[in-house]
Amino acid sequence: MNHAQAATQFIKDEARTDWHDKALWFVRYKRDIQTKKVPEWEQLRELASQIKANVLSELDSYLIQFEENALKNGVHVHWAKDAHEHNDIILNILKAKGVRKMVKSKSMLTEECHLNPYLIQNGIDVIDTDLGERIIQLRDETPSHIVLPAIHLKKEDVGETFYKYLGSEKGASDPKYLTEVARGHLREQFLTADAALTGVNFAVAETGGFVVCTNEGNADLGAHLAPIHIASMGMEKLIPRQSDLGVFLRLLARNATGQPITTYSSHFLKPNNGQEMHIVIVDNGRSEQLGREDFRKSLYCIRCGACMNTCPVYRRSGGHSYSYTVPGPIGSILSPGIDLKKHSSMPFASTLCGSCTDVCPVKIDIHHQLYKWRQIIAKEGDFPLSKKIMMKVMGFMLSHPKFYRFAGKMARTALPIMPRFMLYNNLNAWGKEREIPQAPKQSFREWYLKNRE
Amino acid sequence: MKVGLFVPCYIDQFYPQIAVATLQLLEKHGCEVGFPLNQSCCGQPMANSGCESDSKATAKLFVENFKEFDYIVGAAPSCVGFVQEHYDIIPQTEEVKHVREKIYDITEFLLDILKIEKIDAKFPYKVGLHQSCHAQRGMRMAQSSEINGPAFSKQRQILEMVEGLQFIELDRTDECCGFGGTFCVSEDAVSAKMGKDRVADHERNGAEVITGGDVSCLMHLEGVIRRQNKNIKMVHLVEILNNTSPTP
Amino acid sequence: MSSKSYILERVKQNKPMLSVLPVVPMFERKDDVSLISLFKENLEFVGGRLIELNSKEELNGQISEIYPDLKIIASTLNVEAANLDLNSIIDPHALKGIDLTIIQGDFGVAENGAIWIPANTISHRVLPFITQHLVIILDKTQLVCNMHQAYQKLDIHKADGFGVFLSGPSKTADIEQSLVIGAHGSRSLVVFLV
């Protein structure tokens, strides 16, 4: 199913679409309020963008520096060129220690690598501990948003899921109650896990440390209790200096959810006494994206999710209407580089309104990249032949004024006299919910010739 | 000052009164206006659909039509912006560079080039201003709500010169209307939903009229309004500025 | 070729031209807003509570007043109510029953209500997360304006390998975007400013 088809399904329930739209717009609204409290907000965006530009331009040396420092800190460092290697490395660490149960905090990278099914197939019990992630894990779904993974669900849906899997009261839907149920359930998991996996929000080259941000405290409960802590990081997560965290931590939560900072910004440097700490540095297509001049800025992304909250298309089509793990505007510029044909409809799921670009805390030119991916997809991707021919015809007509005028005249003559059923039917996508413009008798050119020449 | 009047294809074919208003408005303010009869379109529809190369011939025709003028003016930020931003698809001759540099949307031309301070027009109605995304985030004719900085809007600034006009405030000041070029048919469900929501925002806040600078958005919103039989009038801002707007 | 060399080689080939690393200013505030009131405003915004004390002596009374019913109380400070000997505990899992933890914060950040807590001051890394309720004592002279100053002040190498900026009690809005305080970490946070 392409994006348009999936979106059509989503919108069929218009009340729910409105609810989804409003829930996300409220996050954008909270973001606006918080960001306006920082007078230097726009300067911070510019600084963040410049820091990320520098990171990409010296990424190889920062990676080496980071590894050296992490090793000095007693951390094991692994390198994975693709998803499969990432999953294998983790499985081997777990197997070597006889791990049976692993708790995991939010990590879009492990979603990207499809780590959970791989580990489960190999006999490891993987428990997602972020509340939203746990909800969708129980429902066997994928996250529909990178920061708010269960935003597509209503509290009644969650109540039903918890009733089915966690034994909560039937029909309960109070978020406070449901959160309490999850707290009890997940405490038990934290206390019995043999390993914990976290994502990495920022990795600092000059110290070899990394920072993990959560609101729930699940990353810390996992990582500090289990004897093994594995952190999976996309290699673009590096920043040069610890002081750069000042810039990024000021931007991240404010832009993501309208909080001044996440509840917990945990700085990991060395393993706890008696604990093992591993970092897996993952490429999985990133070095290739780095080589694409027009698209490399997509690697600046700090995964705040604001481009989804602000996107008028995302809000009305839901995260599951996109074919890639990362949905919305940022997903639509990352995905074609991973699989051009599979994700061909994603860059077209936009009006190019540019809101994503203006909301981005690291100034990724998202809508310009969408435009550029379209050019590539029309040539090499999964692009309908009918549309290709249509564009050729239009290109010909509009560059030959006589044909253009003839076609216009035909349309203006035919439209008023055509019966409604011929104008408004399934072939006319415009006409399903909108009227066609009323055709005037004469074009401007005809008026001009009559009145001015 | 010789001004070439650029009339985008859908204005020419479906909304000729907007082009008439643009022409008269320019003349009222002392411009010598020419209308190249062989014009068609800027080429944006193909390019936004991913087929930039199919726009090249149209772009060349455009430059051929307008290269002799001191300024080129159209009442459509989206089309004007396309010429400015995307005419790098054809070789950058002096003529191409001239056209890209001297093309203006009517609002910016009146304010920044002609520097008008007064408009002889009256429009005593409650008006919602739909600023198109291309005007706002493309050409930066207004501050976008995502960016922190002093608020400004050139379209609003010029409409404020109109006697009696009363702005209504929207819940979402700059939400996209959902037109988006071929998006309006390739993603028709989302597109129409966005259009309906945009109209509803205006209706909720008491607009009698929706105005704006880009006909593509207005055509889209008008399609929704007519289908839903809403009591809201759709007019282009040049019609208000030229005092030739139909009244609600 | 190892994956490391493979990745580094590709990065080297594909990376863009050198782009200069910018200098980040400190963004000192020019107005004379009080750091304490700014800190309080933000701490309350994130769901915490601030209580100003005239002296450390008032602490014991406050604790027994606010938490009359809590049973297991741990502290890294000299607090009367504390009844759990943290030094006797080796396995952090044994901390699971703690109702209240009272610790010292290193310094606070006015712009977001966050408090820096380095591992060397809390005996167990998991302590501020596993406890049901949390109290942090903060010296009122130890407030900085923003995160730039915070990073200038903290020394991660003295933190014993871990440190956290903690801002408010744990929370989630994962169910229909409605805010619930008390997700997995502490259910409440009270900061005593001395």
Side-chain angles (χ1 to χ4, degrees), chain A residues 11-284:
Chain A
I11 290 177
K12 271 190 183 146
D13 188 345
E14 193 164 357
R16 197 169 173 128
T17 306
D18 288 336
W19 169 81
H20 189 264
D21 166 66
K22 285 197 180 76
L24 287 155
W25 181 260
F26 183 58
V27 184
R28 161 73 207 276
Y29 167 80
K30 288 191 291 182
R31 172 258 176 210
D32 287 356
I33 292 176
Q34 260 315 316
T35 61
K36 286 188 169 60
K37 287 188 178 169
V38 181
E40 56 271 17
W41 181 257
E42 295 303 327
Q43 264 173 288
L44 289 175
R45 287 178 71 221
E46 182 56 34
L47 284 164
S49 190
Q50 288 177 15
I51 293 167
K52 285 288 186 177
N54 167 263
V55 167
L56 295 192
S57 74
E58 299 191 73
L59 188 56
D60 47 346
S61 35
Y62 288 138
L63 282 166
I64 294 167
Q65 189 191 3
F66 175 76
E67 186 193 36
E68 271 174 19
N69 287 322
L71 291 172
K72 268 186 231 159
N73 295 333
V75 180
H76 303 268
V77 180
H78 311 261
W79 300 74
K81 56 180 184 300
D82 55 26
H84 183 72
E85 192 173 9
H86 164 263
N87 295 350
D88 246 9
I89 289 169
I90 290 171
L91 181 65
N92 288 336
I93 298 170
L94 298 179
K95 270 188 166 167
K97 291 280 165 182
V99 169
R100 277 176 311 203
K101 186 195 278 187
M102 182 177 86
V103 286
K104 181 168 150 271
S105 71
K106 200 186 287 164
S107 147
M108 283 314 293
L109 177 62
T110 58
E111 293 286 343
E112 173 189 323
C113 294
H114 304 291
L115 175 69
N116 283 14
Y118 184 78
L119 292 183
I120 290 165
Q121 258 173 35
N122 283 282
I124 312 274
D125 193 7
V126 184
I127 311 285
D128 278 315
T129 59
D130 171 80
L131 176 57
E133 296 252 298
R134 185 62 181 147
I135 294 167
I136 56 164
Q137 188 186 28
L138 290 172
R139 296 172 62 92
D140 198 18
E141 290 178 357
T142 54
S144 67
H145 188 291
I146 61 173
V147 174
L148 319 162
I151 189 70
H152 59 290
L153 296 172
K154 304 201 78 161
K155 57 187 182 207
E156 290 78 16
D157 304 325
V158 179
E160 219 172 278
T161 306
F162 281 12
Y163 167 70
K164 192 169 164 192
Y165 296 101
L166 305 182
S168 62
E169 284 169 40
K170 192 174 170 64
S173 66
D174 173 31
K176 206 170 157 52
Y177 166 75
L178 295 172
T179 302
E180 189 60 35
V181 169
R183 179 183 171 102
H185 158 68
L186 286 167
R187 279 248 158 180
E188 193 50 41
Q189 309 302 322
F190 290 126
L191 290 166
T192 52
D194 318 304
L197 187 142
T198 68
V200 169
N201 288 90
F202 306 97
V204 183
E206 72 175 5
T207 65
F210 59 94
V211 174
V212 181
C213 303
T214 74
N215 281 322
E216 298 181 4
N218 56 316
D220 288 280
L221 275 166
H224 303 317
L225 285 173
I228 302 167
H229 175 191
I230 305 169
S232 281
M233 70 174 254
M235 63 183 191
E236 81 284 16
K237 293 286 154 110
L238 273 177
I239 53 172
R241 307 163 292 202
Q242 180 162 268
S243 60
D244 295 326
L245 287 168
V247 174
F248 289 103
L249 291 189
R250 296 188 82 192
L251 288 167
L252 179 62
R254 284 190 175 94
N255 217 52
T257 54
Q259 296 171 260
I261 190 168
T262 49
T263 304
Y264 305 106
S265 308
S266 300
H267 296 53
F268 294 89
L269 194 70
K270 293 177 184 170
N272 212 344
N273 284 338
Q275 191 197 35
E276 261 183 33
M277 192 183 276
H278 297 261
I279 294 171
V280 189
I281 300 171
V282 184
D283 182 338
N284 203 33

Side-chain angles (χ1 to χ4, degrees), chain C residues 78-89:
Chain C
N78 190 13
V79 180
E80 273 174 20
N83 55 16
L84 183 81
D85 179 12
L86 286 169
N87 293 326
S88 69
I89 291 172

Side-chain angles (χ1 to χ4, degrees), chain C residues 3-96:
Chain C
S3 290
K4 176 182 166 184
S5 344
Y6 173 85
I7 292 168
L8 289 174
E9 193 47 47
R10 298 216 355 150
V11 169
K12 211 170 184 175
Q13 272 168 17
N14 289 345
K15 68 180 184 179
M17 261 174 30
L18 180 66
S19 190
V20 184
L21 185 60
V23 177
V24 179
M26 283 288 126
F27 293 110
E28 320 261 0
R29 274 182 87 113
K30 291 188 184 75
D31 52 6
D32 53 356
V33 69
S34 123
L35 289 184
I36 293 179
S37 61
L38 193 60
F39 180 77
K40 183 173 166 81
E41 182 191 323
N42 281 305
L43 182 67
E44 284 168 359
F45 181 81
V46 298
R49 186 176 161 200
L50 187 84
I51 298 173
E52 290 187 60
L53 299 182
N54 293 315
S55 76
K56 252 190 173 155
E57 279 69 61
E58 292 171 32
L59 183 65
N60 287 322
Q62 288 277 354
I63 298 278
S64 50
E65 198 183 312
I66 303 174
Y67 307 100
D69 305 322
L70 295 185
K71 293 200 174 57
I72 306 179
I73 299 177
S75 182
T76 53
L77 307 166
N78 190 13
V79 180
E80 273 174 20
N83 55 16
L84 183 81
D85 179 12
L86 286 169
N87 293 326
S88 69
I89 291 172
I90 296 164
D91 178 4
H93 293 83
L95 301 169
K96 68 177 178 182

Side-chain angles (χ1 to χ4, degrees), chain B residues 113-164:
Chain B
I113 304 299
L114 298 183
K115 301 194 188 301
I116 64 156
E117 282 164 5
K118 272 202 313 252
I119 284 272
D120 184 20
K122 198 172 166 181
F123 198 69
Y125 300 102
K126 289 184 181 165
V127 175
L129 174 61
H130 173 79
Q131 313 202 63
S132 71
C133 304
H134 283 160
Q136 178 154 297
R137 302 196 190 84
M139 298 170 80
R140 300 290 176 202
M141 283 164 61
Q143 183 67 280
S144 69
S145 61
E146 298 85 7
I147 290 180
N148 292 348
F152 71 95
S153 158
K154 291 184 178 177
Q155 291 178 340
R156 194 169 171 129
Q157 187 189 339
I158 202 164
L159 283 167
E160 272 166 357
M161 298 176 193
V162 175
E163 195 190 325

Side-chain angles (χ1 to χ4, degrees), chain B residues 3-27:
Chain B
V3 174
L5 178 65
F6 161 40
V7 179
C9 50
Y10 44 85
I11 295 187
D12 180 36
Q13 294 298 330
F14 291 111
Y15 299 93
Q17 75 279 10
I18 294 172
V20 174
T22 315
L23 171 66
Q24 290 172 345
L25 199 54
L26 287 168
E27 288 175 341

